[in-house]
Amino acid sequence: MQIPQPMHEQYLEAKKLIESSNDIKVYSHIDCDGICSGAILSTILDRQNKEHEIEFVNLDVLDDMDLNHELTIFSDLGSGQRVDSKAREGQKILILDHHPPLRDIDYRAGKNYTFLEINPMHHGIDGSYDVCGGGLCYFLGKEFGYTDLSWIGVLSAIGDMQNTKTGHFEGLNEIIQQDAIDGGYLKLTKDDLNIYGRNSRPLFVALSYFSDVKLPITNNTNETMAILEELGIDEKHNRKTLNELTMEEKGKLFQRLLSMLAKVVPGKYIQYLPQLIIGDSYTFLKEDPSSFLRDASEFSTAMNACGRNHEEKIAMEVLKGDRFVALDELEDVSLNHRRNLAQAISGVVESDDANIIELENLQYFDGTGIKPEIVGTITGMILGYCNWKKPIIGFAQTDDTGLKVSLRCSRLLSYDGIHFGNIIRKVAGQVGGSGGGHAMACGAYIPIDKKDEFLKEFNENLNGRLTL
């Protein structure tokens, strides 16, 4: 895939917008993709000697936002929000977003302000798997000749789970990946075991987090140790990490996981099972071999930890090159984040109350006391404790009148062609809220008194669509 010519012309216009502007504000999302997007844009603006402000925000603050700058850039958000509702004559708005857009490509016509929205979906390119927000920002950087930012584009795609459906990058992401390889920033290992924590976790621990389909090993380190010892690839007094396994040992583990999965999933999904186990792995060659930043998945988790704890600027400084003060701060944030996650998960799954409530087509939990910034992460991790055949929704209160809604599901459900991001946007809108996102991971903000109506509508929208 190449960038379509109309999209390339948009990038040329975006470059001119930056070159001709001096009063610039960037708004970006708080997740890994958004932070990477912001870091790329900030680096571009630094190198162009453009004074600028950058702010990382949630989606719910964007509608009806006052615009007070000559050029306002929205990255990894903006397409699904009415960010130009208060635009004044002569102002400039640039959107670099991959989420489903509210407006068509000709929306800008007749406006008395400049409106430029670069969204892959306007050009027939899938924003869930072909390119993300950071990738779109990278292509803008590439117009300036800054191909050294390609590794951040790769990291943003990892954080946005753009490779989860097939285990490797597709579409425009392949261009970014190749730029990073050619520049000496990235090592790509094809068809590796797709297990998180290849550098930092003992394999028996990493394996216990397998949760796309609940298996005997899920959340059970005793079972993982027994299996690894039985296969002869791990020993009680010599625990290994995934990176220490030989290809032969990885092959043995792959076959065992495949066999376990085949016993518990419906026959129609058997063809997709290798994609749950096998995927490309990504190593950042400029990072210290002993650092958790070396592995793209672990790096992306640290970025998300900062976003969920309002420390996006720390993450951005690391991305922009600070490997001293900011890196120390990043490690502290990541440690506290893991503690908060463990405590929140325990509160949901270990309570005597029935905290995970199952409806006909979905399941949900009330995240009382859980910060809205981490409820999405919690929802994804709780998949390993509940019915993987249905999506799970987590609720967290934002204030006295609002709820944050987060949905996650097994990757297998995506092969049925269900796009939960589109569904959550529709249902949230019906109850006076807003939402959107990807096929397997999405969210919304709704009025607190509309929770029951939201659940009823969402459940009904899935009638006949889940075939498990």
Side-chain angles (χ1 to χ4, degrees):
M1 181 183 291
Q2 297 295 321
I3 292 180
Q5 185 59 31
M7 191 174 180
H8 182 246
E9 291 171 1
Q10 288 183 312
Y11 273 113
L12 294 176
E13 183 180 349
K15 183 172 182 281
K16 291 178 181 178
L17 283 180
I18 288 176
E19 291 172 334
S20 64
S21 301
N22 293 304
D23 177 24
I24 302 173
K25 177 69 177 278
V26 177
Y27 291 99
S28 201
H29 199 203
I30 66 167
D31 61 6
C32 176
D33 187 17
I35 295 170
C36 288
S37 300
I40 291 171
L41 291 174
S42 184
T43 302
I44 293 170
L45 295 172
D46 284 345
R47 293 178 181 179
Q48 291 295 304
N49 295 313
K50 299 290 184 180
E51 292 285 337
H52 63 281
E53 299 175 34
I54 183 163
E55 185 175 346
F56 296 94
V57 298
N58 270 313
L59 303 179
D60 59 331
V61 307
L62 294 180
D63 286 330
D64 302 320
M65 173 183 286
D66 288 322
L67 303 180
N68 300 311
H69 300 268
E70 177 188 1
L71 170 62
T72 306
I73 305 176
F74 297 92
S75 58
D76 193 37
L77 40 69
S79 282
Q81 294 77 40
R82 304 189 185 283
V83 295
D84 65 325
S85 62
K86 293 187 178 180
R88 300 190 302 273
E89 182 175 355
Q91 287 185 317
K92 307 170 192 174
I93 297 171
L94 171 61
I95 298 174
L96 296 151
D97 192 9
H98 63 123
H99 297 99
L102 292 175
R103 300 160 288 264
D104 62 33
I105 197 169
D106 298 321
Y107 174 81
R108 60 188 295 178
K111 301 291 188 293
N112 63 0
Y113 53 90
T114 300
F115 184 88
L116 176 59
E117 181 172 6
I118 303 179
N119 189 301
M121 299 183 75
H122 284 150
H123 305 278
I125 298 172
D126 192 333
S128 293
Y129 303 109
D130 289 338
V131 69
C132 63
L136 294 172
C137 293
Y138 167 69
F139 283 118
L140 177 57
K142 194 172 181 179
E143 290 295 333
F144 287 94
Y146 304 147
T147 55
D148 61 309
L149 302 178
S150 54
W151 72 273
I152 307 180
V154 170
L155 179 62
S156 66
I158 294 292
D160 200 61
M161 303 185 293
Q162 296 255 316
N163 61 334
T164 52
K165 191 171 184 179
T166 63
H168 59 266
F169 285 143
E170 299 176 327
L172 297 182
N173 284 321
E174 289 188 88
I175 299 175
I176 305 169
Q177 174 180 275
Q178 193 59 50
D179 286 352
I181 293 171
D182 293 344
Y185 303 100
L186 178 71
K187 175 187 174 183
L188 173 70
T189 303
K190 299 288 290 183
D191 298 328
D192 202 353
L193 284 178
N194 188 20
I195 298 171
Y196 179 84
R198 64 185 63 251
N199 279 333
S200 63
R201 289 175 174 172
L203 180 57
F204 78 91
V205 175
L207 200 56
S208 72
Y209 283 91
F210 190 95
S211 62
D212 261 295
V213 174
K214 191 172 183 179
L215 297 174
I217 60 172
T218 305
N219 303 311
N220 188 342
T221 53
N222 288 331
E223 185 68 19
T224 59
M225 284 189 285
I227 287 176
L228 292 173
E229 290 170 11
E230 178 188 334
L231 293 173
I233 60 179
D234 205 14
E235 300 173 356
K236 184 175 182 180
H237 300 294
N238 183 28
R239 297 300 180 190
K240 298 178 182 177
T241 64
L242 178 59
N243 273 347
E244 294 176 297
L245 297 191
T246 66
M247 290 306 295
E248 181 182 358
E249 289 171 332
K250 288 180 180 180
K252 289 181 181 179
L253 183 53
F254 167 76
Q255 291 297 335
R256 175 59 66 90
L257 289 171
L258 189 64
S259 174
M260 294 170 70
L261 285 165
K263 293 176 181 178
V264 297
V265 305
K268 69 171 185 172
Y269 291 114
I270 296 295
Q271 61 180 314
Y272 303 118
L273 294 185
Q275 293 164 215
L276 297 185
I277 311 169
I278 295 294
D280 297 345
S281 65
Y282 310 85
T283 303
F284 292 129
L285 297 175
K286 302 296 184 181
E287 303 298 338
D288 188 299
S290 63
S291 171
F292 66 93
L293 304 183
R294 184 86 168 178
D295 178 72
S297 292
E298 295 185 52
F299 199 147
S300 71
T301 297
M303 297 296 96
N304 277 320
C306 286
R308 303 315 180 197
N309 291 277
H310 305 293
E311 298 287 3
E312 300 90 352
K313 295 292 178 68
I314 292 175
M316 186 178 73
E317 290 306 314
V318 170
L319 290 171
K320 292 176 71 174
D322 187 340
R323 292 297 183 274
F324 297 100
V325 175
L327 181 55
D328 287 342
E329 293 173 334
L330 177 64
E331 290 176 336
D332 288 341
V333 171
S334 297
L335 178 60
N336 289 330
H337 183 63
R338 289 195 295 271
R339 289 172 179 159
N340 291 337
L341 293 180
Q343 185 176 20
I345 291 170
S346 175
V348 174
V349 303
E350 296 179 8
S351 170
D352 292 333
D353 300 325
N355 282 345
I356 300 176
I357 300 169
E358 197 163 339
L359 304 180
E360 181 183 3
N361 298 313
L362 60 87
Q363 53 201 326
Y364 70 94
F365 67 92
D366 288 310
T368 302
I370 295 176
K371 294 192 299 182
E373 293 85 358
I374 66 171
V375 69
T377 305
I378 298 298
T379 305
M381 297 177 77
I382 284 176
L383 264 177
Y385 295 89
C386 57
N387 183 356
W388 65 268
K389 298 180 181 181
K390 297 178 181 179
I392 182 165
I393 291 174
F395 293 97
Q397 195 166 335
T398 57
D399 52 36
D400 291 339
T401 62
L403 285 177
K404 169 73 181 294
V405 186
S406 291
L407 179 147
R408 299 293 186 269
C409 73
S410 167
R411 278 179 284 174
L412 288 182
L413 297 189
S414 70
Y415 300 121
D416 284 331
I418 303 174
H419 195 296
F420 287 105
N422 292 338
I423 297 173
I424 207 168
R425 171 193 283 183
K426 172 187 171 183
V427 176
Q430 289 174 343
V431 300
S434 62
H438 302 304
M440 297 178 289
C442 54
Y445 293 90
I446 63 170
I448 196 167
D449 59 351
K450 297 291 185 178
K451 176 188 162 190
D452 291 341
E453 183 181 348
F454 173 87
L455 285 168
K456 178 177 179 293
E457 291 293 330
F458 206 107
N459 191 53
E460 290 179 356
N461 266 267
L462 294 179
N463 281 339
R465 303 186 69 174
L466 297 180
T467 58
L468 287 166

